[in-house]
Amino acid sequence: MKVRNFDFFNLFYSFGAAVVLLGALFKVLDTNYADYIFITGLVVEILVFLVSAFLFSKKEKELSWEKVFPELVKDEPVATIDATHSVVSLGSNMHELSQNLSEIASSFKQMKGTIANLDSTVTQLEHANHGYKEQMQALKDNLADINHYYSDFITALNSKTKRS
């Protein structure tokens, strides 16, 4: 967290800007002493800009990583037991990953076979549906013929009944 200090340069800079703005306001309103106030503010701004040309910026102190992470600076070798344990652990994890990937691949092969069976079943159903449609059309045609014959029969009966 940064601690803010009072800055005299910022005070003069802001004061000069305020006087310039006040002088400009008085110039617009055409009041007495507007020229003097405006000129005073401009002179203060000129002085502030001249001083700021010679003002040096302050650099923040850089952090020393050696103090934060002293284990990075030690000249002692890193424990090889931890490294070999990590490598062995990595190897076993890679082996498990390989097994899991082969199981996933076999699952995908099974899914592919299931999808192929499903596709052939759908094709068979489409053929069966086509045969069903043909049979239904034949039945419809037969019913139409039966209705036609029945209609003719009723008409013939009605005409015979009317004559008698």
Side-chain angles (χ1 to χ4, degrees):
M1 184 170 144
K2 284 188 174 183
V3 178
R4 295 189 146 211
N5 296 331
F6 184 74
D7 189 8
F8 288 107
F9 178 71
N10 190 27
L11 174 74
F12 288 121
Y13 185 74
S14 299
F15 177 74
V19 173
V20 167
L21 290 175
L22 187 66
L25 176 68
F26 285 170
K27 286 287 268 185
V28 169
L29 295 176
D30 197 29
T31 61
N32 295 335
Y33 304 109
D35 291 332
Y36 298 116
I37 294 172
F38 192 67
I39 290 172
T40 304
L42 286 176
V43 168
V44 169
E45 287 294 318
I46 289 170
L47 291 174
V48 167
F49 283 122
L50 283 175
V51 170
S52 69
F54 298 105
L55 192 67
F56 297 104
S57 64
K58 297 177 185 176
K59 287 187 179 179
E60 289 188 25
K61 185 177 180 182
E62 292 185 22
L63 294 177
S64 175
W65 287 105
E66 297 85 25
K67 293 179 181 176
V68 178
F69 297 107
E71 61 270 5
L72 295 177
V73 188
K74 291 182 182 177
D75 292 334
E76 299 173 11
V78 180
T80 56
I81 296 171
D82 293 335
T84 55
H85 177 68
S86 297
V87 171
V88 169
S89 174
L90 179 64
S92 65
N93 289 341
M94 292 298 285
H95 182 68
E96 288 177 24
L97 178 64
S98 174
Q99 288 177 344
N100 291 338
L101 287 176
S102 65
E103 290 174 7
I104 289 172
S106 66
S107 297
F108 276 124
K109 286 179 184 176
Q110 289 176 353
M111 285 174 55
K112 182 181 176 184
T114 305
I115 289 171
N117 289 338
L118 184 63
D119 186 40
S120 66
T121 304
V122 168
T123 305
Q124 290 173 355
L125 283 174
E126 285 175 350
H127 290 303
N129 188 25
H130 183 65
Y132 176 74
K133 283 182 182 178
E134 289 175 354
Q135 289 178 358
M136 288 304 285
Q137 186 63 40
L139 182 62
K140 183 179 167 185
D141 292 341
N142 287 341
L143 275 175
D145 289 342
I146 289 172
N147 280 338
H148 182 66
Y149 291 132
Y150 180 71
S151 171
D152 289 345
F153 179 73
I154 294 293
T155 306
L157 265 173
N158 283 336
S159 65
K160 205 174 200 187
T161 343
K162 285 183 184 178
R163 282 197 229 164
S164 344

